[in-house]
Amino acid sequence: LKPIYCDRIDKGILWSNKPITIIKETETTALVDGNLGLGLYIGPYCMNLAIQKAKKYGVGFVAVQRSTHYGIAGYYASMAAEAGCVGLCGTNARPSIAPTFGVEPMLGTNPLCFGIPSDDDFPFVIDCATSVNQRGKIEKYAREGVETPRGAVIDNEGIERTDTEGILRDMVLGKCALTPLG
C-alpha cells in the first residue's frame, strides 16, 4: 500500500475492514456509506452498483459518503464504458488549489471524468484534473530528487515554487498551493 494509506490506518482515519453500508436506495439511485473504508474497494463496488441499475432501469446514480482516496477516476468511468454505459465519476478533496488570481489553497483537486462506449476497440474516456499538477506527482518528483516544474505551485505571496521537498512540507501547512488549470 502507498504510505498515505498506511499512515491513515495508523491514525484511525481509514479502516481496511469496514463494511460498505447502503443507507438509502431506489431502483435508480443509492446513497452508500463507505464507513471510512478503503476507497479503492468502495469505488468499484459503487460503480458496479450504478452499472447494474443502469442496465436494468436505463440510469444508475450512486453517491458515496465517508470514503477515502479512491485512486484514478478514469478507472471507474472505464468500467461503465466497458459495460456499455456512459459513466460520470468524480470526488471531492481537501483544499490544495489556489483559485485563479488567488494564492491561498481554497479548492480541491476534484476530478471531472467521463467514459463513453465507442465503435472503436476502446471507449472514449477523459479524466480531467482541476489543477496543473497534483500532490502525487510532486511526491514522485521528490522520490526522483528533481525540482517541481515552474507554474505548478505558488506560495502565499504568489511566487512560483520549484523546491519539491519544501513544497510538500509547506502544502501541509497551507503556505503554498497548486495552481489551477485554465
Side-chain angles (χ1 to χ4, degrees):
L1 286 177
K2 277 184 75 173
I4 190 171
Y5 299 128
C6 296
D7 292 345
R8 290 176 180 180
I9 289 170
D10 290 344
K11 291 177 183 175
I13 56 175
L14 186 154
W15 299 89
S16 60
N17 59 353
K18 292 283 184 160
I20 295 171
T21 307
I22 297 177
I23 297 172
K24 186 173 182 178
E25 185 172 23
T26 70
E27 286 83 3
T28 59
T29 66
L31 173 59
V32 173
D33 188 334
N35 293 304
L36 299 178
L38 191 60
L40 296 169
Y41 172 74
I42 298 164
Y45 174 92
C46 292
M47 183 53 80
N48 281 323
L49 182 58
I51 291 167
Q52 290 171 10
K53 290 176 176 299
K55 291 285 193 181
K56 188 169 183 180
Y57 298 103
V59 65
F61 185 88
V62 178
V64 183
Q65 65 184 30
R66 296 180 351 113
S67 182
T68 60
H69 185 264
Y70 80 153
I72 302 167
Y75 173 75
Y76 306 105
S78 294
M79 288 175 64
E82 289 170 8
C85 299
V86 173
L88 167 64
C89 183
T91 189
N92 66 316
R94 68 185 177 283
S96 59
I97 303 172
T100 302
F101 305 116
V103 295
E104 183 180 340
M106 300 178 93
L107 309 170
T109 54
N110 309 331
L112 300 171
C113 186
F114 302 90
I116 303 167
S118 75
D119 292 335
D120 294 319
D121 293 335
F122 50 88
F124 173 81
V125 177
I126 186 165
D127 185 348
C128 301
T130 52
S131 59
V132 171
N133 238 337
Q134 67 273 19
R135 182 184 173 93
K137 191 166 268 187
I138 296 171
E139 290 171 351
K140 180 177 179 252
Y141 297 144
R143 288 191 302 274
E144 295 171 350
V146 299
E147 288 191 341
T148 298
R150 292 177 55 89
V153 178
I154 58 172
D155 68 14
N156 288 349
E157 303 297 318
I159 299 169
E160 289 182 333
R161 297 275 301 267
T162 60
D163 59 312
T164 302
E165 293 294 336
I167 289 168
L168 289 172
R169 180 185 59 252
D170 288 348
M171 282 184 73
V172 174
L173 301 173
K175 293 182 177 181
C176 65
L178 300 170
T179 54
L181 188 64

